[in-house]
Amino acid sequence: MTFEQASLLILLLAMLVLFSLERFRIEVVSIAGLLAGHALGLYPADQIFTGFASPVVVTVVEILLIVQVLARAKLFDSLAAAGPSGFQVISGTSLLTGFISIFMNNIGAFAITLPVALRLGTALAIPHRQLVMPVSFAALLGGLVSLIGTPANLLVSDALTKATGASFHFFDFAYVGLPVAIAGILLISFRVQRLFPDLDDAPATVSPATRRIVVERRIPDVSPLIGVRLSDCPQRFGIKPHALIRGDNFVFGPLDQSVIEAGDVLLAEGGDTVFVGLAAAQALMADAHPHGLQPDFTRVEAVVMPESTLVGSRIRSLEIFHSRGVAVTALSMRAPRIEGRFLDLQLSIGDILTLEGPRMAIAEALEESECLPLASAASSEPASLSLRPFALFACGIAASAAGLRPDVSFAGVVLVLALLNHLNIRQAMADLNWPIIIMLAAMIPIGQAVATTGAAETIAGWLSVVVPITHPLFGVALILFLAMALTPFVNNATVAIVLTPIALEFARAGQHAPHAYLIAVAAGASLDFLTPFGHHNNTLAMGIGGYRFSDFLRAGWPLAVTSYGLALFLLALFWL
């Protein structure tokens, strides 16, 4: 093994570990890895930023711009007015999500259909835990079907073009992706009703979902918490205390010696319904909101999306809310790290804010900060009901399916949307999910170095000792397994970039056509059901649905096994 190969493998391993730990922002890790690759001599200076001009990156940007227009149309909101119940609602909303995800990125499809699913769940007394995870998984499954369903598909198609001179057609992925998507959606829709039963028999007007939140509340004079030791709060009241503030000072000392007094401020964590009950019993009291008596005062829950400007900010610095008279009264965090007071909490992707204030002010702030409201809130501008953007997007899809390059066809769609005043390109560019775009562009030169340094050939040689890759079915099975093993820990685009050169080397070594190997990479990279952090959709679902890490394992492993077996069978049937 050469120095370049060894250094590249070490760099890739380090980046994959940093991606999975989520301690640093993904765009920072990507740029650092990109520059480190040049410093190690893996590619020359004139290739460092070639990823930003890649047709794959350009196509992803164009689709994200178009999705912003389609999301404002709220075409599917009318579905929340009425509908069937149980399995039909879960499978129906999931199939709708999967269908939308065929033609746009997974997060966009998830964001469009999630509010519809939640309103249906509330109206029909279906637990949100039975709806959110299937919708998230359906968005991932729908991306298997078309060329633009996920960046992984675009990446492997671009690699095929460079290797053979011909790219995949628009629906070439559907031979494997469509049956896997339908089977997966029906399977998870069936399983969630047994995994997450409604034990509370909640009435139709109340959401049965319970979510753990962090709040800071004052102790009124009549509170039953007065005189209670902090160590007794979990058993007696179902809340976990994190800090007790008396005056302007923290009360330090062992929990079994810290006693709550009237007028104290308690920073605590617990179920949202628990705090509702404590407020009704006058055990805890929120500070009065200055707009509380106004007719347009409302309470809204909103999730921090991957592209949100709030990611990494602390609550005290959210001027986008404070300046509009909007208060953050509670926070649901995927991995609570409580340091200091409530205003010192730092926001991450998938965290859920509870906001109180004027309805229009909340809607404006959420739109500007790129957060997704989970309850109805008035928009600062009327929703467009025009079908013109959908018709234009359909024309772009048709042009791509007819053989026109996707980056060219969707550039035309963006241009026409801008000319017809459906899209403000300057504002829309500012609202893009730039961390993902930067990560994708920065990883492309590193992925190309896997092939140019001979690392792919070396890895393929190692794997051939274990698996007879000269037989195409064994090679495809191994590639599919590797992709599915990596994608629960890092994003699917990175998996595709790393494994594509290895898949091409497998095909070359066995003297086989590379199509089946590349589709195995794309499919495996999107079959991410085992962890909440491999894909942003699962991260969002964990916060919104109040799932535990183990819930993804329990729900996801049968889906992963079934998808692997079915995908391998279809690959052998259609591509080998």
Side-chain angles (χ1 to χ4, degrees):
M1 178 180 290
T2 66
F3 170 78
E4 288 79 8
Q5 293 172 357
S7 59
L8 175 59
L9 294 179
I10 293 173
L11 175 62
L12 281 173
L13 180 60
M15 293 182 70
L16 294 178
V17 170
L18 291 175
F19 281 139
S20 63
L21 291 177
E22 295 186 319
R23 294 291 299 274
F24 304 95
R25 297 179 67 93
I26 59 174
E27 67 271 26
V28 174
V29 175
S30 301
I31 293 175
L34 179 65
L35 297 177
H38 171 63
L40 293 169
L42 303 179
Y43 35 79
D46 59 357
Q47 294 183 12
I48 295 177
F49 299 110
T50 53
F52 289 89
S54 168
V56 174
V57 176
V58 173
T59 304
V60 170
V61 170
E62 291 165 351
I63 292 176
L64 290 176
L65 292 174
I66 296 169
V67 166
Q68 291 187 36
V69 179
L70 301 183
R72 289 198 299 270
K74 302 184 184 299
L75 183 66
F76 303 101
D77 276 18
S78 60
L79 296 176
S85 60
F87 175 78
Q88 292 178 324
V89 170
I90 298 170
S91 60
T93 53
S94 299
L95 287 169
L96 174 64
T97 305
F99 175 77
I100 296 172
S101 186
I102 295 174
F103 306 107
M104 63 179 61
N105 67 309
N106 300 334
I107 295 177
F110 183 70
I112 286 175
T113 56
L114 178 65
V116 178
L118 293 180
R119 285 197 289 275
L120 276 171
T122 300
L124 301 174
I126 300 173
H128 289 176
R129 285 163 60 83
Q130 293 183 8
L131 282 165
V132 177
M133 185 179 288
V135 169
S136 173
F137 288 177
L140 301 180
L141 288 163
L144 297 170
V145 179
S146 73
L147 178 64
I148 62 172
T150 177
N153 296 359
L154 288 164
L155 287 164
V156 300
S157 181
D158 185 59
L160 181 66
T161 302
K162 293 176 180 177
T164 67
S167 64
F168 284 112
H169 295 107
F170 193 85
F171 284 114
D172 276 350
F173 297 88
Y175 295 105
V176 173
L178 185 59
V180 171
I182 294 174
I185 290 172
L186 294 178
L187 176 60
I188 189 61
S189 300
F190 176 79
R191 280 186 55 79
V192 289
Q193 292 181 288
R194 288 150 182 79
L195 288 174
F196 312 117
D198 179 12
L199 301 178
D200 299 329
D201 293 324
T205 56
V206 179
S207 168
T210 298
R211 183 182 302 120
R212 291 191 68 81
I213 60 174
V214 178
V215 303
E216 191 172 276
R217 297 289 187 264
R218 190 170 300 278
I219 307 297
D221 294 337
V222 295
S223 173
L225 285 166
I226 296 175
V228 174
R229 294 177 298 183
L230 293 182
S231 59
D232 295 332
C233 288
Q235 292 78 21
R236 294 183 56 182
F237 297 96
I239 59 176
K240 178 182 178 181
H242 287 284
L244 186 65
I245 299 95
R246 187 166 297 152
D248 292 326
N249 302 313
F250 286 91
V251 176
F252 295 104
L255 295 181
D256 59 354
Q257 296 181 14
S258 300
V259 179
I260 300 174
E261 298 180 3
D264 287 350
V265 174
L266 182 65
L267 177 65
E269 176 187 357
D272 51 1
T273 55
V274 173
F275 285 109
V276 170
L278 291 174
Q282 295 184 317
L284 296 172
M285 178 180 65
D287 292 334
H289 194 284
H291 298 279
L293 298 179
Q294 295 187 7
D296 66 339
F297 178 85
T298 189
R299 179 182 293 107
V300 172
E301 289 185 333
V303 62
V304 180
M305 299 294 285
E307 66 272 20
S308 174
T309 56
L310 305 186
V311 175
S313 301
R314 299 189 183 276
I315 293 178
R316 69 170 66 254
S317 65
L318 302 183
E319 286 301 317
I320 195 170
F321 296 123
H322 305 328
S323 62
R324 290 179 166 89
V326 177
V328 182
T329 59
L331 179 64
S332 176
M333 308 177 72
R334 180 165 59 96
R337 293 187 297 273
I338 312 299
E339 298 176 357
R341 300 193 60 169
F342 180 77
L343 294 178
D344 298 317
L345 296 178
Q346 191 172 23
L347 302 181
S348 302
I349 296 171
D351 289 350
I352 298 177
L353 302 164
T354 301
L355 306 170
E356 294 183 358
R359 183 182 301 273
M360 294 299 294
I362 292 177
E364 292 172 359
L366 292 179
E367 182 177 351
E368 186 175 333
S369 61
E370 291 293 308
C371 290
L372 178 67
L374 300 181
S376 298
S379 175
S380 58
E381 60 182 53
S384 171
L385 298 179
S386 172
L387 295 179
R388 188 184 298 160
F390 290 91
L392 292 172
F393 186 41
C395 290
I397 293 171
S400 297
L404 188 65
R405 282 178 37 166
D407 54 332
V408 176
S409 60
F410 292 116
V413 176
V414 170
L415 175 61
V416 177
L417 287 174
L419 291 175
L420 296 177
N421 294 322
H422 290 293
L423 176 66
N424 183 326
I425 294 181
R426 181 179 299 179
Q427 179 180 345
M429 290 292 288
D431 293 338
L432 285 178
N433 187 358
W434 283 108
I436 294 296
I437 296 169
I438 292 172
M439 181 277 300
L440 179 60
M443 287 298 297
I444 286 176
I446 301 175
Q448 292 173 346
V450 176
T452 57
T453 61
E457 183 177 358
T458 300
I459 295 173
W462 291 342
L463 294 174
S464 65
V465 177
V466 182
V467 176
I469 63 173
T470 53
H471 192 291
L473 183 60
F474 288 108
V476 169
L478 178 58
I479 287 293
L480 182 61
F481 174 81
L482 291 175
M484 291 184 65
L486 282 175
T487 198
F489 305 101
V490 293
N491 61 79
N492 61 351
T494 301
V495 172
I497 289 170
V498 172
L499 288 184
T500 293
I502 301 173
L504 289 172
E505 182 58 32
F506 272 29
R508 188 200 64 78
Q511 298 182 342
H512 308 134
H515 300 71
Y517 294 87
L518 293 176
I519 288 182
V521 171
S526 294
L527 296 175
D528 180 7
F529 314 119
L530 299 179
T531 70
F533 46 74
H535 195 281
H536 284 323
N537 274 20
N538 292 350
T539 303
L540 296 171
M542 185 178 187
I544 297 168
Y547 302 107
R548 298 185 300 270
F549 183 94
S550 59
D551 290 334
F552 283 85
L553 289 174
R554 291 193 299 144
W557 77 261
L559 186 56
V561 171
T562 302
S563 298
Y564 178 85
L566 182 57
L568 188 58
F569 169 76
L570 294 167
L571 282 164
L573 180 64
F574 291 108
W575 292 104
L576 291 179

